[in-house]
Amino acid sequence: MSNQSYTPDPAAADALESLHDRSVDVLAGFDTMVGKAEPHFRPLAMRFQDLHRRHSTELAGLLAAAGRTPGNEGTFMSTVNRAVVSLRSIFDDIDEDILAQVESGEQHVLDAFDEALAQPQAPDARARLSDMRQELVRLLDEAKAAQA
C-alpha cells in the first residue's frame, strides 16, 4: 500500500503535523547553535542539525501524501529555541554542557514520534517513522557516550 492510495484519519495526519512542527522547531535551535558552538562541539551540533533537516523534509513529504500542506516555519517554539541558544551563548559556551538541554528538547520530538506511531499510518509511512525515530535515538546515545 503506498501513501498516495492511503487516506489517513485526521488524528494520524494531526500527529504527523505535530511531529513535523516539533522537528522544524528543534532544527531552528540547532541552526542557531551551529553558528555559536565551540569548535570542538560544532560537529555534534551539525549532526543533529543535519538529522533534523533531513527528517523535516521527509516528514513534509509524508504530510503532503496525507493531504496536508506542511509549513516550514514550525511553531512559536522555533523562535524560543533560537532565542534560548542565542542568550545562552552570551553567558556561557555552547558546548557539551548543553547536552542535557538538547536531550530534553529531543524528548519532545521522540514523544511526537511515539504519538504519530500510535496512529493508523500507511505501512510505508509507519516504517519510515520508526526508522527516523531510531536514527534520533542512536544519535542521542552517541552524544551521551561522547560526553561520558
Side-chain angles (χ1 to χ4, degrees), residues 40-100:
H40 67 280
F41 184 71
R42 188 170 291 123
L44 180 60
M46 290 174 71
R47 288 183 64 201
F48 277 100
Q49 178 190 38
D50 291 343
L51 179 84
H52 285 294
R53 181 168 288 118
R54 188 170 40 81
H55 283 184
S56 295
T57 299
E58 193 162 350
L59 290 166
L62 292 175
L63 266 176
R68 299 278 177 99
T69 303
N72 58 1
E73 297 298 316
T75 67
F76 178 69
M77 285 305 297
S78 291
T79 302
V80 170
N81 289 341
R82 283 189 289 267
V84 166
V85 172
S86 292
L87 283 172
R88 179 169 175 150
S89 72
I90 293 170
F91 301 105
D92 200 5
D93 293 336
I94 301 297
D95 58 16
E96 56 277 342
D97 292 340
I98 201 171
L99 280 179

Side-chain angles (χ1 to χ4, degrees), residues 4-58:
Q4 287 73 24
S5 65
Y6 179 77
T7 304
D9 70 26
D14 289 348
L16 276 176
E17 193 164 19
S18 177
L19 173 57
H20 178 259
D21 284 344
R22 287 188 192 177
S23 187
V24 170
D25 291 345
V26 171
L27 174 59
F30 281 108
D31 284 346
T32 302
M33 189 182 299
V34 165
K36 297 182 179 298
E38 293 298 310
H40 67 280
F41 184 71
R42 188 170 291 123
L44 180 60
M46 290 174 71
R47 288 183 64 201
F48 277 100
Q49 178 190 38
D50 291 343
L51 179 84
H52 285 294
R53 181 168 288 118
R54 188 170 40 81
H55 283 184
S56 295
T57 299
E58 193 162 350

